[in-house]
Structure formats: structure tokens, C-alpha cells
Amino acid sequence: DTTAVSESDPTAKALNYKPLASSVDPAKSPTYKAGQMCANCQLYQGTAGSSMGPCAIFGGKQVSAKGWCTAYVKKA
Ligand code: SF4
């Protein structure tokens, strides 16, 4: 499935997911650090260079490579 995760998705809301990491509100997501995005998150399963890809947390949907949520884990 290539359905994009919507910000109104319950899991997205719970994790403050944003399709654009640059629009993350630091007041709501104090763990966010500039430069973090799905593309460099451990849980991101997209192909390098693609604009979207699957995430282990959002089963069956795709997150934006430039997105972010509070479950972010820096890729080792
Ligand atoms: Fe993006 Fe990682 Fe959150 Fe998945 S867990 S939405 S890849 S920041």
C-alpha cells in the first residue's frame, strides 16, 4: 500500500507526526532536533532517495522522507 500517513491519523496525532520535519512545533515536540527526519530514522524502510517509504510504526502506510514523529530513533 502506498497510502500516505495523514496528520489526522490517530497514531500520527499521538506521535505528533509531521510530513515536513521543518514544521514540527518544538513546544509540542521538545525532543525534535534540527536535521532529524524519517530518511535518517532507524524505523524508516524507504529506499534511499525516495520521497516516501514505509515506517515500522505506521504499518501499511508511507511516511514522508522529510517527515518526523516523536518515535524518531537516529539511524545507527
Ligand atoms: Fe518517521 Fe521514524 Fe517517526 Fe517513522 S518512527 S514516522 S520513520 S521519524
Side-chain angles (χ1 to χ4, degrees), residues 34-74:
Q36 295 180 344
M37 61 179 78
C38 296
N40 57 35
C41 172
Q42 190 75 54
L43 302 173
Y44 185 67
Q45 300 163 342
T47 311
S50 61
S51 62
M52 303 195 77
C55 162
I57 287 186
F58 294 95
K61 293 187 179 171
Q62 301 226 329
V63 296
S64 165
K66 293 181 176 171
W68 187 88
C69 85
T70 56
Y72 178 87
V73 178
K74 188 176 164 53

Side-chain angles (χ1 to χ4, degrees), residues 7 15-38 66-70 72:
E7 279 185 63
L15 298 176
N16 286 342
Y17 170 78
K18 296 285 177 195
L20 261 185
S22 53
S23 70
V24 169
D25 180 352
K28 285 184 184 165
S29 304
T31 58
Y32 172 71
K33 292 190 178 59
Q36 295 180 344
M37 61 179 78
C38 296
K66 293 181 176 171
W68 187 88
C69 85
T70 56
Y72 178 87

